[in-house]
Amino acid sequence: MEFSKSEPAKEDEQLGSTLEFKNISKYFPGVVALDDICFQAHSGEVLAFLGENGAGKSTLLKVLNGDYQPDKGQYLLDGVEKHFRTPHEAIEEGISVIYQERQILMELSVAENIYLGRMPANKMGVINIRQANKMAQKIISDFGLPISPQTKVKDLSIAYQQMVEIMKAYSRENLKVICFDEPTASLSDSEIQCLFDIIRKLKREDKIIIYVSHRMDELREITDKTAVFKDGRYVTTVANGEVSEKELIKMMVGRDLGDVYKNLDRDKTIGDVLLEVKNVSSDYVKENSFQLRRGEVLGFSGLVGAGRTELMRAIIGADHMRTGEVFLEGKKILNRSPKDAMDNGIVLVPEDRKMQGILANLSVKGNINISMLDQNSNQFGIMDPGKEEKTAAQGIQEFRIKTPSPDKKILELSGGNQQKCIVARWIATNPKVLILDEPTKGIDVGAKSEFYSMICAFAKQGLGVILISSELPEVIGLSDRIIIMKSLKIVGEVSHAEATEDRILSMSMIGGDNIHE
Amino acid sequence: GCSTDAPSGAAAGSAAPAAASKSGKMTVYGIYKAGDQSWFIDEGAAAKKAVEAAGGEFIYVDAKMSPEEYLKAIDNAIANNASGVVTCIPDQTMSQSVVDKLSAANIPVIAADDALQDGSGKKLVPWVGIDAYAIGDTNGKWLADYAKKNDLVSKPDTGLLILTMDTVSSCVPRAKGEYDAFTKALPAFNSGKIFKADYDGTTDKGNTAAAAVFTAHPEIKTWLVTGANEEGTIGACRALESAGLDKHACVVGLGAYLAKDEFKKPGGSPMKAATYFSSDSIGAGSIQVLLDKIAGKTVKEETAVSAEIVTPENYKKVMGAAAN
Amino acid sequence: MNEATKEKEGKSFLHSMVRAVGGEKLVLMGAIVVVFILFSSINKNFFSLTNIINLLVAASLVGLVAIGHTYLIIAAQNDLSPGSLAAFSGTLCALLVSLHIPFLPSILITLAAAAMVGLFNAAMVNKIKLDPFIATLVTQAILRGFAYIICDGKPVPISDPAFLYLGKARFLQIPVSVWIMIIAFVVFGFILAKTKFGRSIYAIGGNKDAARLAGLNPQKIITICFVMMGLFCGIGGIVFAARMNSGQPAANINLEFDAITAVILGGVSFTGGVGTMGGTVLGIILIQAFNTGLIMVNVPSFWQYVARGALLLFALTSDYLRKEKRRKNLLAASMKNA
Amino acid sequence: MNEATKEKEGKSFLHSMVRAVGGEKLVLMGAIVVVFILFSSINKNFFSLTNIINLLVAASLVGLVAIGHTYLIIAAQNDLSPGSLAAFSGTLCALLVSLHIPFLPSILITLAAAAMVGLFNAAMVNKIKLDPFIATLVTQAILRGFAYIICDGKPVPISDPAFLYLGKARFLQIPVSVWIMIIAFVVFGFILAKTKFGRSIYAIGGNKDAARLAGLNPQKIITICFVMMGLFCGIGGIVFAARMNSGQPAANINLEFDAITAVILGGVSFTGGVGTMGGTVLGIILIQAFNTGLIMVNVPSFWQYVARGALLLFALTSDYLRKEKRRKNLLAASMKNA
Ligand SMILES: Nc1ncnc2c1ncn2[C@@H]1O[C@H](COP(=O)(O)OP(=O)(O)OP(=O)(O)O)[C@@H](O)[C@H]1O
Ligand SMILES: Nc1ncnc2c1ncn2[C@@H]1O[C@H](COP(=O)(O)OP(=O)(O)OP(=O)(O)O)[C@@H](O)[C@H]1O
Ligand SMILES: [Mg+2]
Ligand SMILES: [Mg+2]
């Protein structure tokens, strides 16, 4: 078998291909995930899917690649009806979908992940690992990433794991359709730019490209058209520039959001020092110090791997704190575990929803309530089901979590709705210091804007909020002050007023103007 | 005599209502400690035949060497209004509680193979069988004899291996009997050349254990082997063969139910003899005693079945149909 | 008007949910009913008080262990040492009593030892990060060895009257061992379903790392579960020895498998985070009733192996099919509503 | 200049990786060496050709099963039926031969039956979505029953010379059973490490969904693994019967645990996706050498249980400590580089 990318590409160049969905419906118990979907996607253009959490975007992609079977309707590739029973059949026909949740094999190497199931081998099935590494290296170079094909994926940061996923889909021969389901949720700017270069290349090669994201600026930059979904229904497709972003959002959310950052109630007083971190280090991060004041939203920015997550984990005792001290309200505290931190009033919403957030097999209610055991029980440790219902109902309502019942298994929610449950869990605990690590990952614009107001309201009540986000507009828009990290150390800080994307980016890359100037 | 039979028979009618089971049909439970071993399968089959001949139903229960399974079976017999029980108990320390339970339910019980006895060794109910120590004794004596006859006693390259099952209390006396009888008969035998190896009653582990001992003592060229059950001694035969020591070796089995197949081998086998105790006669004998007891007759407290050594020469004659 | 319909729909949805949860155990209940009807029709003694008490007595040790396994397996752990530990405990307690240590202190010493074993298991899992399956296989071997060693392989007869009484005493016709099991099922069923501790067990079974970040202490919870299991085995082993009138080092082999089988049959899953104590109770009843019945209706002993395997397979398959069907029905319903 | 340093760093990183993988099995190798030195110093015959061959013969059946378990556990599956299946296969083949069916057809019929059992296990896991642990517990019970049933519980003596020869034949001093195991280790070790099929086993064990989405067919791969295991048990059971000169329905109890223990000791993890055949080989050697040695140096039988548990714990603990140390070293290095 030969593995060259150029050959099948030639075929595709001959004519533009079309993907047509005809009356596709898909049901889950209690949910209409897709309702009579009809539209077309054409090669050579990037089509965005836009819709609220739970609108059915991911489900449609899973129907497309044969993971789910539609209950009604069919889809046609170049006019030919397709019925894929397995993802394998879809892949054979040139359809690749990159899932919202990483589907990666931690114990295998980068090359093995990229060529999973189609490693170069001789007739006897004996693998040629050197060739695989060479081929993988070429793709890695195409992407311009500093990783080795032999590295085990578990030793990579989440961002690079995500890039491996993308390379896996990209590297498939005979590629006709490629779909990205929120690919940038865990990427930082530089990776996003390299992803966009790849997408532009694919576009030139005349592929059908579907791109799902909740980040409006991205859609503006990379997509040509936008298909809007609402409650499982297809609404319309508009070309970029045809309608304003505002109108687009209105189509999907059903109301006008305005400028989410400008409309925030930032009018609050920043008080005395609430949290002071002195020379904290761990096995994963060097010594760092900073202060957080009452009523302050403190942003943390940096490239992937800068150590933001690790610093916070050390503070709350999730990782062993090697050196340093933490003071809360002037009192020294010692967090040996996240439980200690929680008892002290510091909570962390983790970035990795799948591994560190959701409790698989448990219901939405169980997931939201798990940090509220003390509050929801009496002095004998007996739970009050009424209180549990209430917390869950409140979370579901406040975050507008789309679920037919609080008893639904969390794994059956859409990605964004899972994320909302996780955030709701920690908000319910009423902390003094709220640390949010990529909290809006996968959350739709409507919910995001509500979430932003909620953060501001918290700050106004005198809480301290630490916000780690790779979405620069979000950090800049929300934070009163932004700390920049690079190579496991804090390298600088800017105030809300002086923060610009360029400045933060250059500090994250070069190491901070304050220090070097 | 006949004269005493009638009144006691009548008494049985009232004293042992269990005999006239409510369903009308006599139900006898045979509860055996290791119901998956050939020995008990044969014994049970003989008992079943005897019960069915008397017009009753026989329920065969395998206690799987587990005291708990055993006690469950006893409870089951009581709940099922059994007419009587014949049993081989996995652990003799439990005897008293079993006897208490059954007598409270008015169900007669006969011990087969292993006696139901109290702490001092006194038998609590009538017993049919051969005792474990006696089996070992027979084997030990025969091996001592064999050694004398073949001039092995003082030969430095002769050794004795006893495969033990220390974890199965009813088998411990077998190995002990073997050791005692052998050393008593041959005080001159160098006790440093007597080896023990433990196994779990399967051929497989008997094989591994024996092979390890043979390898550990290459200075020994002539092995005398016996063990705690026949399966283990078969394992030793295979180990001797693969070590090339089978020509001079002498293995003695227990029960002869597997040894008979060794005897049939055209090329011969290191299995030179085995104690034969007829499972048929114990099975049928125990039922006979039970039926007598149900009928209210006085029965013998001990019915010992003889354990005799069979060899390739005489096993067909001694064992009869059991030799096939 | 529209609002009212919605209200109504919501209610009927709730109803269907309630029914579904109640029906969760339908297959098991059905199987139990069938087993009882079947065996009683062949042998009417099956459905007698004596036999039902027998059945409960037979279930008493495995029942206690199954409670421990319900907790552990929901917490995504496992334990293969109960058989050895129960045998060790029974033997140890019998031995202590035979050395003229009074009964109560003997019990306390034994339970302390059993709890230590639980701690040891937990330490291997928490500190050396061993898989519980293999960690407890280590304990299984070591404890079986010690059970034999302390008594030199010979069962230790019990003559202490208080100890023997424990095996015989009845209250309202029901033996002590059964009362212990029933009370344990109620208490620990309640704890699992209704308390903070119970909730934490489900959480760490769902995702240990996430639960830790959510403020739980998985290592502590796992330790408690293992110690609980140790105590259940200790108590069970002592009562078992009392019932047998001797401490038996060779006893209770495969006890853990019987318990695990009942627990899984009851709907607990090895992936952790799901299951209920009620399911375990039904699982235990089904298996014990079936086993007892097979003897009563005189199924040949070799066929009993087959029958037991077949029952297990049948029950699990029916459960799967029922769930599939329910899922399909729910789907059909939501398709119709759409 | 900068590029060159990077290159160099990359290389030294590579070096350290290679060393790490080579060192992966250091603890096991060390333990084997210690065991050999220790036992040989007590009894010099331990390190003799005869004993090593004995040891390999004793390992031959469990070795084959361990190959099957290596595949299955890496694929995040499990199998508790091998002991029953091996006993069933040996008994069936002996029975067929005793019914005057020629040896070769008897073997083929037996292997076909064994493969069917594997298919059955796979079907329960794939189609009824049973946990492999519980699914194969079903098979374990049913097959043990059938093993007894077909021969009425009595071992079936073998008199067919070809069959007996299989148990006795040697090539270059080494018995056939050992050759079979060695060849199987080499062939299936190669397949696991170097072929597409082998790598797909790691993939489905690491994350079944991810593997499926990448176009693999987990159900097919799982089926193949179970059928392979069936065939290994079939072959192993037949050779075992030949070695014992009879088909024994009660044999090979706990075979699966011995195999699983060796596999885990060799570094395969129950979570799936990790492990190598080389590790399994070392695990088997360590356990067999230790077991044989304990008998040879005459350790009292009850202490053998304890010793075995202790060895397992010791080996696993050392392995954990070594890995922890390596992780810390790597971490420190990467902190310095950052
Ligand atoms: N496996 C499943 N079982 C039951 N319901 C499901 C399942 N997968 C998805 N759903 C439901 O289908 C609906 C659509 O979900 P989908 O994941 O397609 O949303 P989405 O548009 O991708 O949302 P997001 O932006 O949050 O990723 C949701 O209401 C979700 O709860
Ligand atoms: N489990 C782990 N094992 C080994 N290294 C890790 C692990 N987790 C993180 N690291 C390393 O720690 C460093 C920082 O991790 P991480 O990427 O999470 O930082 P970050 O600043 O939080 O970035 P971001 O949140 O943007 O992803 C990286 O070099 C990463 O490779
Ligand atoms: Mg989605
Ligand atoms: Mg991070």
Side-chain angles (χ1 to χ4, degrees), chain B residues 142-152 224 248-250 272:
Chain B
W142 192 88
L143 267 176
D145 238 29
Y146 177 89
K148 256 189 255 170
K149 261 191 229 151
N150 292 282
D151 232 4
L152 298 169
L224 308 175
H248 302 292
C250 173
K272 295 285 190 305

Side-chain angles (χ1 to χ4, degrees), chain B residues 36 38 41-42 166-167 196 198 203-204 207 209 211-213 215-216 218 238 241-242 258 261 265, chain D residues 43 45 48 51 54 148 152-155 157 170 240 243-245 248 252 292 295-296 301-302 305:
Chain B
D36 59 348
S38 304
I41 292 167
D42 291 342
D166 289 343
T167 55
K196 284 184 184 168
D198 202 67
T203 307
D204 184 18
N207 179 265
V213 174
T215 312
R238 300 292 87 83
E241 283 163 1
S242 61
L258 299 172
D261 297 320
K265 284 190 178 165
Chain D
N43 185 327
N45 298 311
S48 62
N51 191 46
N54 277 352
Y148 286 125
D152 206 19
K154 282 171 224 148
R170 293 182 173 227
F240 176 81
R243 273 173 51 216
M244 297 295 139
N245 294 10
Q248 307 198 340
N252 309 322
T292 314
I295 302 175
M296 271 201 150
S301 64
F302 301 147
Y305 286 90

Side-chain angles (χ1 to χ4, degrees), chain A residues 215-505:
Chain A
R215 297 187 179 180
M216 300 305 289
D217 48 339
E218 271 176 27
L219 299 185
R220 201 183 313 133
E221 185 176 348
I222 193 68
T223 65
D224 303 303
K225 285 183 180 169
T226 303
V228 182
F229 294 83
K230 185 158 176 55
D231 296 331
R233 273 186 293 272
Y234 166 75
V235 180
T236 180
T237 302
V238 294
N240 270 11
E242 214 171 80
V243 296
S244 72
E245 211 163 90
K246 234 166 121 178
E247 275 175 89
L248 214 50
I249 289 172
K250 204 172 160 190
M251 269 184 232
M252 98 189 226
V253 186
R255 69 204 143 93
D256 204 341
L257 289 180
D259 185 325
V260 288
Y261 299 118
K262 285 248 172 65
N263 292 349
L264 287 176
D265 176 13
R266 306 187 53 86
D267 184 22
K268 60 195 175 196
T269 42
I270 293 183
D272 49 352
V273 175
L274 176 61
L275 179 77
E276 175 157 26
V277 171
K278 273 191 183 161
N279 298 322
V280 166
S281 76
S282 76
D283 284 347
Y284 306 96
V285 67
K286 294 178 180 170
E287 288 185 18
N288 287 292
S289 309
F290 68 89
Q291 292 182 339
L292 171 72
R293 293 173 172 275
R294 259 181 233 286
E296 185 179 37
V297 178
L298 178 59
F300 267 76
S301 194
L303 299 183
V304 167
R308 296 166 296 175
T309 300
E310 282 65 25
L311 176 57
M312 299 309 154
R313 284 178 61 91
I315 292 169
I316 65 153
D319 289 337
H320 173 66
M321 194 168 96
R322 267 224 303 241
T323 62
E325 296 166 304
V326 178
F327 297 88
L328 185 69
E329 295 170 324
K331 264 200 353 252
K332 187 177 166 177
I333 56 168
L334 185 57
N335 298 329
R336 275 189 226 86
S337 70
K339 176 160 180 45
D340 289 348
M342 187 174 288
D343 291 343
N344 286 323
I346 307 177
V347 300
L348 165 76
V349 178
E351 63 177 339
D352 190 342
R353 149 170 94 227
K354 190 174 173 188
M355 306 296 282
Q356 303 176 330
I358 59 173
L359 303 167
N361 287 340
L362 266 61
S363 63
V364 170
K365 183 165 79 179
N367 267 281
I368 294 179
N369 273 299
I370 198 58
S371 294
M372 294 287 286
L373 291 177
D374 288 329
Q375 293 88 325
N376 288 343
S377 60
N378 67 12
Q379 69 266 39
F380 305 110
I382 296 170
M383 302 305 300
D384 180 341
K387 281 190 191 163
E388 290 182 301
E389 297 280 355
K390 223 175 107 195
T391 318
Q394 201 175 337
I396 289 172
Q397 195 210 349
E398 258 176 32
F399 288 88
R400 307 210 305 150
I401 296 170
K402 196 184 165 202
T403 174
S405 134
D407 295 311
K408 195 175 169 88
K409 259 195 180 184
I410 191 164
L411 281 178
E412 292 172 354
L413 295 194
S414 76
N417 282 305
Q418 290 178 15
Q419 181 69 21
K420 292 180 193 169
C421 293
I422 302 309
V423 179
R425 172 195 298 167
W426 273 282
I427 299 288
T429 62
N430 244 327
K432 290 179 189 154
V433 176
L434 179 62
I435 307 175
L436 303 159
D437 197 352
E438 311 280 3
T440 58
K441 202 159 143 177
I443 293 186
D444 66 48
V445 278
K448 251 186 214 172
S449 96
E450 279 162 32
F451 181 58
Y452 294 156
S453 331
M454 207 183 280
I455 290 179
C456 288
F458 281 136
K460 203 165 183 179
Q461 286 163 31
L463 298 187
V465 178
I466 294 176
L467 174 70
I468 302 176
S469 174
S470 300
E471 232 181 307
L472 278 178
E474 188 171 279
V475 203
I476 296 171
L478 279 173
S479 310
D480 301 302
R481 199 154 52 94
I482 299 164
I483 288 178
I484 290 108
M485 285 186 78
K486 175 179 183 289
S487 304
L488 315 182
K489 255 197 106 43
I490 291 175
V491 290
E493 158 181 340
V494 291
S495 68
H496 176 72
E498 48 186 21
T500 62
E501 295 200 15
D502 285 344
R503 181 141 184 227
I504 292 174
L505 257 179

Side-chain angles (χ1 to χ4, degrees), chain C residues 46-71:
Chain C
F46 184 80
F47 199 70
S48 62
L49 185 66
T50 339
N51 192 45
I52 288 175
I53 290 180
N54 279 352
L55 202 151
L56 291 173
V57 172
S60 62
L61 174 56
V62 71
L64 282 183
V65 175
I67 296 175
H69 272 130
T70 306
Y71 275 66

